[in-house]
Amino acid sequence: MKKAYVLLLTFCFTIILFPASYGLGSEKQTIKTLYIPLADHYAGIVAYEKYRGEMKKADYVIERIKSPALVRAYFMSGEVDMAYTVCPMAMNMFSESPNFRFVSLLHRDGNALAVNDKLNENINLPEDRRKRKPDYKVAEAFSEFAEKTGSPVEVAVPDFLATHTVVLYKYLKDHGKEMNMGFGTDKDILVVEVPPPDSPAFLKRMNSRDTPAAFEQSLPWADVVETQGSGHVAWYSRDVIPWPNGHVECIAIATDRCIKEKKAALKEVIYYLHKAGIDIESARRAGGDKMLEISNMIRKHIPEHTHEAIVQSLDPSLSVINYHHLNIDKAGLRQIMDLAIEGGILKNSIDIDAFANEEFSTKITEEPLKKSWN
């Protein structure tokens, strides 16, 4: 009896002296988040690097994942709280298991079509990237090579259920062309899945075979291949799907359990996610040391994104991705969903009102950006 009493006293004193060891007295809750190495997810990285230490309620943890399909599998395992992913895949996941919600945008616009040297022979892109628009030239080059070789041109996307596939479908539709996904030779192009980090190697491999090819991926991968001399940016998604403030692409999703049990911590993370978006917007306009600071934060987590490619992707004169107006955009999401269904990318629509949780919206992401910075 005496021994049990001593053990109880020891345990109590240990809790008093070291409460965090037992999860007591600590206000912070872990928000484990998955991301893919894309410009789409830069705000999540900047929030981690710049504001994690300021968070009072959240222990914000990020983990890099190679592709949307792997994000899906990991997120649905229930081992993480939040994920950054493409919206058609998130909608497909929700139609199967509605145990999570859409809680924030991550960016607007932000993907591009890159073509290899062989395909560019028939396109002759302008030197100035601002003049590269989604006109008929790339579409016609696809058809010409398909007719000449008897095989469709392979175009890589991160996943069939990616927004990138929707953008590609819309571009082809606008020019009277069609695509097969995964198999088939009767259309102008064959869409294949290639994880974003592998897309430069995909173009290099096709270049070595003297075979026309392209990829539709998030920035800065198109800028990476252009700055490294293995491909060319053909056009940007902003010009294919114009939308007020920029089209919807990657979104943040959080589990219902996280929303219920870690609401304050999640709200804090999303606040700083939006704040990081403002920081990126400010830095890209200020340039110089401010842009270098942001680039260094990003390259700690994604070293294969060169500084030159990051700066090119965030060039304010191009304005082909932005991190402003990150609150939920139901109409913008519906636009992508309708196009995905029309193109056979998604089979079913979802109830967007049920999918979207607007209680994590912030005011800072909607405020006008300052015209000068310290």
Side-chain angles (χ1 to χ4, degrees), residues 4-231:
Y5 178 72
V6 171
L7 287 173
L8 180 61
L9 268 177
T10 303
F11 178 71
C12 291
F13 275 120
T14 304
I15 290 177
I16 293 168
L17 292 172
F18 306 104
S21 301
Y22 290 84
L24 302 174
S26 174
E27 295 181 359
K28 287 196 172 187
Q29 292 179 296
T30 299
I31 302 294
K32 186 174 181 180
T33 306
L34 307 177
Y35 77 96
I36 304 172
L38 310 169
D40 306 11
H41 302 178
Y42 282 173
I45 292 171
V46 172
Y48 176 85
E49 285 294 324
K50 193 169 182 180
Y51 296 116
R52 183 168 53 113
E54 293 185 20
M55 296 183 189
K56 307 298 183 186
K57 298 179 180 179
D59 176 20
Y60 178 46
V61 177
I62 58 175
E63 183 173 344
R64 174 174 160 163
I65 303 296
K66 190 173 185 178
S67 69
L70 294 176
V71 169
R72 175 184 189 140
Y74 197 172
F75 181 78
M76 297 305 278
S77 73
E79 297 177 21
V80 296
D81 303 287
M82 187 162 65
Y84 303 148
T85 192
V86 284
C87 61
M89 176 167 282
M91 289 186 277
N92 178 261
M93 290 161 60
F94 187 78
S95 69
E96 294 178 359
S97 301
N99 57 1
F100 65 94
R101 297 294 178 266
F102 160 34
V103 292
S104 176
L105 296 181
L106 289 173
H107 66 103
R108 289 176 179 272
D109 298 331
N111 65 68
L113 184 80
V115 299
N116 71 348
D117 292 334
K118 186 67 177 179
L119 195 58
N120 192 41
E121 289 175 3
N122 287 33
I123 302 167
N124 193 25
L125 292 162
E127 186 68 26
D128 188 343
R129 296 189 201 192
R130 291 171 295 183
K131 296 180 180 179
R132 300 181 193 178
K133 301 297 180 182
D135 58 22
Y136 68 92
K137 292 180 182 178
V138 175
E140 288 302 320
F142 287 151
S143 294
E144 288 170 13
F145 276 109
E147 290 171 8
K148 181 179 178 181
T149 64
S151 299
V153 175
E154 290 190 16
V155 181
V157 296
D159 192 277
F160 294 147
L161 285 169
T163 323
H164 313 68
T165 316
V166 177
V167 174
L168 188 58
Y169 161 75
K170 174 67 163 53
Y171 168 72
L172 294 170
K173 175 190 172 187
D174 289 346
H175 297 285
K177 309 299 180 184
E178 296 180 292
M179 65 186 191
N180 282 322
M181 291 197 294
F183 62 91
T185 60
D186 60 326
K187 309 296 184 186
D188 301 280
I189 69 168
L190 177 65
V191 180
V192 296
E193 293 180 320
V194 174
D198 296 340
S199 55
F202 167 77
L203 276 199
K204 288 180 181 179
R205 184 170 65 253
M206 300 302 266
N207 274 336
S208 69
R209 298 174 182 171
D210 199 32
T211 301
F215 70 64
E216 163 63 9
Q217 297 276 7
S218 291
L219 299 174
W221 293 111
D223 294 301
V224 166
V225 297
E226 176 137 348
T227 56
Q228 293 181 347
S230 56

